Amino acid sequence: MSEQERTWKCARCGVPLKNTRVIFHYMGRDFGHEVPACPRCGQVLIVRGLAKGRMAQVEELMEDK
Ligand SMILES: [Zn+2]
């Protein structure tokens, strides 16, 4: 089964966020990763829990390579 994707909205603009590739700096390395960002104002959604999840994903990516 595929994971269900959530649709986030920008709190300021009220428009759906689009996945945008951003660079994370983590453990001395740079990672490109897609995170929800507002297409209008460019605000990137970084929720604490979400950021943790993303970092866990990055760690998984590191182990894969
Ligand atoms: Zn916005």
Side-chain angles (χ1 to χ4, degrees):
M1 283 190 198
S2 61
E3 206 171 290
Q4 197 172 355
E5 286 196 21
R6 291 186 189 177
T7 302
W8 300 86
K9 281 186 179 178
C10 177
R12 190 182 300 171
C13 311
V15 298
L17 302 183
K18 293 178 75 175
N19 279 346
T20 304
R21 196 169 182 81
V22 298
I23 303 297
F24 282 105
H25 303 282
Y26 184 64
M27 292 185 68
R29 299 195 198 180
D30 294 342
F31 293 92
H33 203 83
E34 288 194 348
V35 297
C38 176
R40 187 176 296 180
C41 70
Q43 179 75 40
V44 176
L45 179 76
I46 302 291
V47 180
R48 280 182 196 173
L50 180 66
K52 266 191 174 180
R54 295 296 179 188
M55 283 304 141
Q57 284 183 12
V58 169
E59 287 178 358
E60 287 176 13
L61 289 174
M62 285 177 68
E63 289 174 5
D64 285 347
K65 283 180 180 174

